[in-house]
Amino acid sequence: MQPSDARNLRGAAIPTGAVGVGAVLIGLLTAGGKGALAAALATVVVLVFFSISAIAVSWAGRISAQTMMLAALASYMVKILAVMVLVTVMDGVSIWNTTVFGWAVIALALCWIAAEFRVVLQRRPYVDEPESALDRSP
């Protein structure tokens, strides 16, 4: 993993984990223990899914830009399908509050995306100028 990729992963995972703690507290206050359990599970799901995706894209980026784009699209589709399957399978489960789980997953996914976006915007872009562009002599 490249240092910039690790910085992106840390820059998104830490704020999402902090928001996840807040989600657990909100779940506890609104739905009791079942809500707290649902928010904790949502935090784990989002952190694991998005971290695996970031690692896969980082690995594919070492191969080529086209492979990186394919890995990003494939990991996005796998995440969406996995969350859909998870929510469908867990729909009838009464051990936690499924409404809190759903809202927490949405909030934490948006938090991850916003934090990752913020980290990327803070980086200075690399501009490769050929030597001939620097030479201004006639």
Side-chain angles (χ1 to χ4, degrees):
M1 180 175 274
Q2 299 293 328
S4 63
D5 295 332
R7 186 175 33 247
N8 287 348
L9 185 60
R10 278 191 314 271
I14 292 170
T16 304
V19 171
V21 170
V24 169
L25 292 175
I26 291 170
L28 181 65
L29 293 174
T30 58
K34 289 183 178 186
L37 181 62
L41 179 65
T43 302
V44 169
V45 166
V46 169
L47 287 174
V48 168
F49 280 19
F50 278 89
S51 295
I52 289 172
S53 177
I55 291 168
V57 170
S58 173
W59 171 80
R62 288 185 287 167
I63 297 170
S64 71
Q66 292 84 6
T67 307
M68 184 172 68
M69 181 59 101
L70 180 62
L73 291 172
S75 69
Y76 177 74
M77 290 301 299
V78 168
K79 280 190 292 193
I80 294 296
L81 291 173
V83 168
M84 285 175 42
V85 167
L86 185 65
V87 168
T88 303
V89 168
M90 300 300 172
D91 187 34
V93 174
S94 63
I95 194 167
W96 64 74
N97 189 318
T98 55
T99 304
V100 172
F101 176 79
W103 283 109
V105 165
I106 291 169
L108 292 167
L110 291 175
C111 175
W112 180 286
I113 293 166
E116 196 171 39
F117 190 65
R118 184 184 62 81
V119 170
V120 169
L121 285 180
Q122 288 178 344
R123 282 194 316 203
R124 295 186 80 178
Y126 175 73
V127 179
D128 185 23
E129 294 188 19
E131 287 294 323
S132 61
L134 299 176
D135 185 20
R136 303 276 186 221
S137 62

